[in-house]
Amino acid sequence: MLSLSPLLSVGVLLLQASQLVLSTQTHCSTFTLRNPSVNAVVANTTFFKANDTVAITNPFSSIDVSDLPAFCRVVLAITTNATAKSTAHAEIWLPEPQTWNGRFLGLGNGGFGGGVNVADLGFVAITQGFAGMSTDTGHLSSPLDGSWAGPHNDNAINDWSWRALHLSTVAGKEVVQQYYGKPHHKAYYLGCSTGGRQGLKEAQRFPEDFDGIIVGSPANWMAHLSPWGIHVNLQVMPFDSPRFIPADTWTNVIHAEVLKQCDAIDGLEDGILNDPRKCSFRPETLTCRPGQNTSTCLNVEQITAVHKIFSTYFETNQKFIFNGYYPGGEVGYPFGLVGTFAFQILPDYYRFFVLNDTSFTIDQLNDTVIQLGETINPGTMDVVDPDLTAFLGPAHNGKILQYVGWADQLISSGNSIHFYETVHAFTQANTQLDIDDSYRLFTAPGMQHCLGGFGANAFGGTGQASMGMPPASLDAEHNIVAAMVRWVEEGHAPETLTATYWNHNNFTEGVGFTRPLCKYPQMSMFKGGNPNDAGAFLCV
Ligand SMILES: *[C@@H]1O[C@H](CO)[C@@H](O)[C@H](O)[C@H]1NC(C)=O
Ligand SMILES: *[C@@H]1O[C@H](CO)[C@@H](O)[C@H](O)[C@H]1NC(C)=O
Ligand SMILES: *[C@@H]1O[C@H](CO)[C@@H](O)[C@H](O)[C@H]1NC(C)=O
Ligand SMILES: *[C@@H]1O[C@H](CO)[C@@H](O)[C@H](O)[C@H]1NC(C)=O
Ligand SMILES: *[C@@H]1O[C@H](CO)[C@@H](O)[C@H](O)[C@H]1NC(C)=O
Ligand SMILES: *[C@@H]1O[C@H](CO)[C@@H](O)[C@H](O)[C@H]1NC(C)=O
Ligand SMILES: *[C@@H]1O[C@H](CO)[C@@H](O)[C@H](O)[C@H]1NC(C)=O
């Protein structure tokens, strides 16, 4: 090489570069998985050159972009139970060897959904240089549809609950090793909602699968989330009853009054409650006067409903069920559990997983039914056991970063706090571990379920970038995935994250403001300065 003329050596380099492209393309299209430790075969591979159109749709997720770096898409068919011939499909998206960051990133699903999370494979994994993996959870369906689980489709229930993700992770890592000729050096996971539940399940049941697990607002307690959701919904239903609260009333009347009573608590009247725990909202101030236009006030039944929706729900035997909604997120709540959305997803848990009775309607909920869900725990889907020691402890030294929006309209943010607190208490009572060394929870004021809302809500979480809300930077301050990588690989734990509100939740419209996400139990307080800048706030 040294004796070659400069011109010739450039030519050789160009030749090598084009051979590299050709050879990875061929390597991709001819790739097969040899001797996998689980029953998996390559169903399809496709090589996408840089900026090729990537347009893929399934009932759970879709992507349509033409600005990704080159990658190889490997589709695996995995047998999850040979006797039943049940299968799951997983996709592994592999960046070019020279752009691969050496890491594995598993991506979660949502609701009852079945389908590979192609959106995050592109917008998170490939964009950031990870070898990404996502499973279809063993079936194809929209997130709202649980009918695939019945009647008695136990293998499908197990696959969705835990089995497909675990087997896909094991097989996905083997694909990575055989494709690149060397193993990944660290494995990460990112998921929200059902994806959050999947992450906690992995931490508990298969602590070796991942080194760092990022969990957004987890649906980890379906046996309590489902009845709580139904309970909340029943407070305002049916539509034609006096207690029904229209969306406009939630926004223009209730939210406006919440802000009047509580917005200043964090030091800044900006329409966002930084710590709704501090807001003791009194809806009585909205009671209708004689002759008042009823779209500007609340009747007595509506006031009772608001109280119940915001309060912790107790069963008749005073057993704790779930945390109520927090004040501050009213603009989203009618599009969550106190609106029609709830009709689609809530009864399916009982219809197809617990009671196996398609005629079940939400008004039939009673204590016996609630107890049955808890006892059956279909597919062992729930993660309520607070013992995560195998993952968090010195045997594995894993890390969990959890996040939740205070305005979550589907799973009360109180559930994230409740789970964190139960793990904290267990860990403290039974181990020498300091939970802060391995498990941290960050709260996002004004953020709705997993993404969106009216607070600073873009920080690299699941689904955010693909919905037009990418992190402002891929560094560890603005991107929770990078924050996790730094924690796992450099031992530098995140104290805060900086989130961005893009105008109209669309990055093409520019930055509206930035805010810190504080580590629970801290909240952010305005200390003065430019309120659009995260630096004007303190976590205290
Ligand atoms: C493989 O994937 C390509 C597109 O990525 C598709 O056109 C083709 O039908 C697939 N083949 C099989 C056997 O699924
Ligand atoms: C892909 O598109 C970007 C932005 O337009 C461009 O800078 C880059 O050179 C393109 N890459 C290839 C390989 O075409
Ligand atoms: C596999 O499926 C068969 C037939 O449905 C069932 O009897 C068996 O319990 C299943 N095994 C596991 C491990 O799920
Ligand atoms: C409903 O079906 C599921 C799945 O087969 C089963 O686990 C559960 O026990 C059944 N429920 C009742 C009430 O029999
Ligand atoms: C009540 O207020 C609503 C919204 O402000 C308005 O559309 C409606 O016309 C009013 N009704 C009466 C009877 O004034
Ligand atoms: C509770 O609901 C179930 C399902 O609708 C019903 O079979 C049962 O009789 C109810 N139990 C009580 C105590 O009301
Ligand atoms: C963001 O805004 C642009 C126009 O500024 C529009 O084309 C695009 O569809 C919007 N994206 C989303 C996710 O709404």
Side-chain angles (χ1 to χ4, degrees):
M1 283 293 276
L2 284 176
S3 62
L4 294 177
S5 73
L7 210 58
L8 190 55
S9 63
V10 168
V12 168
L13 284 176
L14 285 176
L15 186 65
Q16 285 174 335
S18 69
Q19 277 172 339
L20 189 64
V21 170
L22 276 181
S23 67
T24 38
Q25 189 158 3
T26 309
H27 184 47
C28 177
S29 58
T30 58
F31 181 78
T32 55
L33 186 58
R34 298 175 307 279
N35 307 317
S37 61
V38 302
N39 191 344
V41 295
V42 173
N44 201 355
T45 65
T46 313
F47 185 79
F48 292 90
K49 297 192 297 299
N51 301 341
D52 274 358
T53 296
V54 179
I56 303 167
T57 294
N58 65 54
F60 171 69
S61 176
S62 65
I63 187 169
D64 186 356
V65 294
S66 47
D67 58 359
L68 292 180
F71 68 96
C72 175
R73 176 194 185 202
V74 173
V75 181
L76 287 185
I78 299 169
T79 302
T80 57
N81 179 334
T83 314
K85 295 192 168 62
S86 58
T87 57
H89 286 84
E91 297 196 18
I92 300 89
W93 290 20
L94 303 148
E96 291 281 78
Q98 68 275 20
T99 55
W100 180 40
N101 65 18
R103 304 178 181 103
F104 181 86
L105 179 65
L107 295 158
N109 304 86
F112 293 127
V116 165
N117 185 348
V118 290
D120 285 329
L121 279 170
F123 278 90
V124 181
I126 291 301
T127 302
Q128 297 182 38
F130 289 87
M133 186 286 298
S134 172
T135 174
D136 69 357
T137 75
H139 75 277
L140 293 174
S141 81
S142 97
L144 302 182
D145 176 14
S147 62
W148 51 266
H152 300 290
N153 202 348
D154 290 282
N155 280 300
I157 292 173
N158 283 329
D159 285 346
W160 174 81
S161 294
W162 59 272
R163 195 165 57 189
L165 177 57
H166 171 62
L167 295 177
S168 299
T169 299
V170 173
K173 289 176 175 178
E174 289 171 343
V175 167
V176 167
Q177 165 145 24
Q178 293 185 25
Y179 183 78
Y180 294 114
K182 60 180 180 194
H184 70 280
H185 69 269
K186 291 289 176 191
Y188 298 90
Y189 175 86
L190 172 68
C192 189
S193 199
T194 278
R197 181 189 63 74
Q198 291 171 299
L200 292 175
K201 181 58 91 179
E202 278 286 315
Q204 192 147 66
R205 191 158 182 165
F206 304 102
E208 298 299 319
D209 278 0
F210 296 102
D211 300 293
I213 293 182
I214 305 168
V215 170
S217 189
N220 60 296
W221 203 7
M222 292 294 283
H224 281 205
L225 169 60
S226 309
W228 171 69
I230 291 173
H231 165 80
V232 162
N233 195 251
L234 290 172
Q235 300 314 309
V236 292
M237 292 296 160
F239 288 114
D240 53 5
S241 64
R243 62 177 178 270
F244 179 72
I245 303 174
D248 281 352
T249 304
W250 279 109
T251 299
N252 301 330
V253 180
I254 305 176
H255 185 61
E257 180 66 15
V258 165
L259 294 184
K260 206 167 133 193
Q261 292 183 21
C262 298
D263 194 10
I265 293 173
D266 53 31
L268 183 69
E269 293 190 47
D270 59 349
I272 303 167
L273 270 54
N274 288 1
D275 190 353
R277 294 171 300 173
K278 295 213 162 63
C279 178
S280 307
F281 177 55
R282 292 181 307 115
E284 285 74 9
T285 55
L286 294 169
T287 308
C288 290
R289 295 180 186 284
Q292 189 176 355
N293 183 332
T294 55
S295 68
T296 61
C297 58
L298 301 183
N299 66 39
V300 172
E301 290 180 60
Q302 290 170 322
I303 287 173
T304 303
V306 169
H307 271 297
K308 287 192 174 169
I309 288 164
F310 283 150
S311 66
T312 301
Y313 170 37
F314 289 87
E315 219 179 328
T316 47
N317 63 7
Q318 296 294 298
K319 182 174 146 180
F320 173 75
I321 295 292
F322 213 75
N323 294 79
Y325 274 142
Y326 281 95
E330 295 74 24
V331 299
Y333 297 161
F335 305 97
L337 297 176
V338 291
T340 48
F341 178 90
F343 286 141
Q344 302 171 56
I345 193 164
L346 292 174
D348 274 12
Y349 171 74
Y350 289 110
R351 284 179 183 157
F352 301 108
F353 294 76
V354 176
L355 298 173
N356 312 308
D357 177 359
T358 54
S359 71
F360 174 82
T361 51
I362 58 174
D363 53 295
Q364 290 167 13
L365 183 74
N366 61 33
D367 290 350
T368 316
V369 170
I370 296 174
Q371 187 56 50
L372 206 54
E374 203 170 298
T375 311
I376 294 173
N377 185 15
T380 64
M381 67 173 77
D382 281 351
V383 187
V384 286
D385 179 352
D387 184 359
L388 296 177
T389 316
F391 180 75
L392 300 176
H396 185 64
N397 212 8
K399 309 291 184 205
I400 296 177
L401 275 179
Q402 188 166 331
Y403 61 87
V404 69
W406 279 120
D408 195 312
Q409 77 280 32
L410 292 181
I411 303 176
S412 166
S413 40
N415 176 61
S416 277
I417 293 168
H418 179 75
F419 186 74
Y420 176 85
E421 292 288 15
T422 58
V423 174
H424 190 170
F426 175 90
T427 306
Q428 194 150 323
N430 297 284
T431 76
Q432 295 299 319
L433 301 176
D434 179 348
I435 192 151
D436 203 45
D437 292 340
S438 52
Y439 182 7
R440 294 182 174 203
L441 168 62
F442 289 85
T443 54
M447 185 173 90
Q448 296 180 340
H449 190 56
C450 300
L451 53 94
F454 45 91
N457 57 48
F459 51 87
T462 308
Q464 294 175 357
S466 64
M467 295 297 283
M469 294 160 265
S473 149
L474 294 179
D475 68 23
E477 184 191 338
H478 299 88
N479 173 18
I480 196 166
V481 177
M484 176 57 100
V485 167
R486 191 167 66 163
W487 195 9
V488 166
E489 298 182 16
E490 297 169 30
H492 183 133
E495 285 301 322
T496 62
L497 293 162
T498 300
T500 301
Y501 175 79
W502 299 103
N503 288 315
H504 302 112
N505 283 329
N506 186 331
F507 77 100
T508 65
E509 304 197 18
V511 174
F513 52 86
T514 60
R515 292 286 160 87
L517 304 187
C518 298
K519 185 179 74 171
Y520 177 83
Q522 292 180 337
M523 69 175 276
S524 90
M525 282 289 291
F526 182 60
K527 66 174 183 189
N530 177 358
N532 290 334
D533 180 46
F537 296 81
L538 276 178
C539 291
V540 291

